[in-house]
Amino acid sequence: MPGSASEPYDLAVIGAGPAGLSGAVTASESGLSVALLDTSGQVGGQFYRHPAPALGAVRPEALHHDWPAFAELRRRQDASDITHLAGHHVWTVTREDGGVWVVHAVTGADGDGERPVCVRARAVLLATGAYERQLPCPGWTLPGVVGAGGAQAMLKSGLALPGRRVVVAGSGPLLLAVASSLAAAGARVPAVVEASGYLRYARHPRVLAANPHKLAEAVTHGAALLRHGVRVRTRSAVIQVHGTERVEAVTVARLDRNWRPVQGSGRRIECDALAVGHGLAPQIELATTVGCATRRTADGTTALVLDDLQETSVPGLWAAGETGGAGGYQLACAEGELAGIAISARLLGRPRLARSGHVDELRRHRDRMRDFADVMAAAHAPGPGWVYWLTDDTDVCRCEEVTAGRVREAIDDLGARDARTVKLLTRAGMGWCQGRMCGAAVACLAAGGGAVPPPDERRPLAVPVTLGVLGALGSPDEAAEAVEAVEAAEGAEGAEVTEVGTVSDAADSAGKADG
């Protein structure tokens, strides 16, 4: 059977969101054996996150944009022979001497299953999505402060609101979607606070004209906000969160062109929750660990370099969706389909599959949406002045409780000039999230107002893994191979892999972090 020790799957898809699901069904319909791995128990990813059946939601589609597209993908999945491996947390990908990929995962809701799982495949499609970028401010650790995407996830999967009166803040088009969803679900949204503006989009009329669906989405969300009386404040930011036991109010200030608060412009808004996010950062750890080339995006994140058919710089490894830069679900679906066709053409020895008129049209469609994604990234790129929101006692690294004052001390008094040195001196980024929450903030502080270097995305293990998992691998050779992959990534970073998941005692004694 496919996936056995003697016969690998043709394709392993990591991530069951729009990109991964689209790639999986396309490849399966072309005749490939496909394994679809995802951390969630349901397909759909973050965009099409939906309530568990036990919640008894009558109309889950009411919380989603373009639900019919997802319903069609799910219908195609049900009609296919795809092996759906739900609750599988992939922690690394390695390659055997014969060129077969080995996908290493742990199972369970939180990766706490009893045994590790290895899935072998001739090709891999990475559709791992992105995580939300956060920029701290005083009070952001109070209960009631959630990510903007997190607030939407609470609503879509749990039918719950983060509060009754919710301010939505940060930067990026996701804010409009989140605010309109919360308002439609019954929350009072006093304001949407956008740190950038929308005028930069007008500088690219040809890109806008080539993507009319994006304008339609904006009009839909804008009309919903107008209907619910939600005010949109541009060139403004939440610079402080107030409260004792939980959020009670926020201070909103005007920003100059560099995102520095304008003195005397602060205004207090009463609320009991804050949904905040500053764009999305591609989740590419699995790819960078095996050496895939990356590029800097216009908003300062790191994405994978992909060819015209979605293949990475490492042969046999494709990627689709937010791994190539955040651009929305329609772009993700197009890239997933392109990757599925390209992989099928390669493995089936039928190059004409990737040269059809449909593929040409799909590529043009992909390119138009990718152009819009680049415009969007540039329009909402954080300015360097946001660091002036921070007081010395503001927690920057929540996991390790490292304040802005300690980070500044490492820079001013101890000579740190980059985020990595700050991490070694303060432990910022050495906690459970491994810098995903604080990495961007620490890098900006270390840059001192200058150009921020690309963030370091090489993490040897993509999710927390215990030594017991490594010890329980199927054979000594398999265990050695996985450890060698970790050591290779570790060597590229120049640091010891001592704090990953539950392997923390050694880190506490050695005082070092993983890559």
Side-chain angles (χ1 to χ4, degrees), residues 373-395:
D374 292 340
V375 169
M376 180 177 68
H380 297 282
W386 75 266
V387 298
Y388 291 97
W389 309 347
L390 305 179
T391 58
D392 280 346
D393 60 353
T394 303
D395 279 329

Side-chain angles (χ1 to χ4, degrees), residues 7-304:
E7 185 181 352
Y9 287 95
D10 292 319
L11 174 64
V13 180
I14 304 174
L21 194 54
S22 178
V25 297
T26 300
S28 178
E29 290 168 353
S30 297
L32 300 188
S33 58
V34 179
L36 177 62
L37 299 88
D38 194 71
T39 59
S40 176
Q42 303 181 90
V43 298
Q46 297 300 322
F47 187 85
Y48 286 117
R49 182 188 285 263
H50 48 284
L55 288 177
V58 179
R59 294 181 61 246
E61 65 273 13
L63 301 173
H64 295 82
H65 183 71
D66 204 0
W67 180 265
F70 170 62
E72 174 61 16
L73 282 175
R74 195 163 56 176
R75 183 198 64 76
R76 292 167 64 190
Q77 179 209 359
D78 291 340
S80 73
D81 294 324
I82 294 171
T83 301
H84 178 211
L85 301 175
H88 280 60
H89 305 251
V90 178
W91 55 272
T92 196
V93 176
T94 60
R95 201 167 197 176
E96 297 176 343
D97 290 339
V100 173
W101 293 97
V102 182
V103 179
H104 298 270
V106 287
T107 60
D110 296 309
D112 55 356
E114 295 180 357
R115 63 182 181 84
V117 173
C118 294
V119 175
R120 301 172 70 248
R122 297 166 61 200
V124 171
L125 171 58
L126 294 174
T128 45
Y131 52 89
E132 205 161 11
R133 176 167 53 186
Q134 295 294 338
L135 301 180
C137 69
W140 76 306
T141 58
L142 278 169
V145 179
V146 299
Q152 197 172 47
M154 289 174 64
L155 180 58
K156 288 181 176 181
S157 63
L159 305 180
L161 294 169
R164 293 184 300 275
R165 188 176 173 88
V166 188
V167 170
V168 178
S171 187
L174 177 63
L175 303 185
L176 300 179
V178 170
S180 60
S181 295
L182 293 176
R188 174 79 174 95
V189 181
V192 174
V193 185
E194 165 62 64
S196 296
Y198 301 107
L199 294 180
R200 287 189 182 181
Y201 288 92
R203 300 175 187 172
H204 305 274
R206 281 190 287 184
V207 174
L208 292 178
N211 292 273
H213 60 284
K214 291 296 184 182
L215 180 60
E217 286 179 22
V219 170
T220 298
H221 293 312
L225 296 180
L226 187 63
R227 187 165 60 252
H228 291 285
V230 178
R231 180 180 177 185
V232 179
R233 301 188 180 202
T234 60
R235 293 291 180 191
S236 303
V238 170
I239 62 169
Q240 187 169 5
V241 185
H242 307 280
T244 50
E245 298 299 319
R246 65 167 292 124
V247 175
E248 298 171 5
V250 297
T251 293
V252 175
R254 291 279 297 167
L255 303 180
D256 65 18
R257 61 183 301 173
N258 292 318
W259 284 33
R260 188 167 182 165
V262 175
Q263 190 172 5
S265 66
R267 297 291 183 271
R268 187 180 174 105
I269 299 178
E270 304 296 320
C271 60
D272 62 359
L274 169 66
V276 60
H278 292 84
L280 301 173
Q283 193 161 321
I284 58 175
E285 298 94 334
L286 293 173
T288 54
T289 299
V290 297
C292 292
T294 61
R295 65 179 181 89
R296 187 77 179 272
T297 65
D299 61 351
T301 62
T302 303
L304 296 179

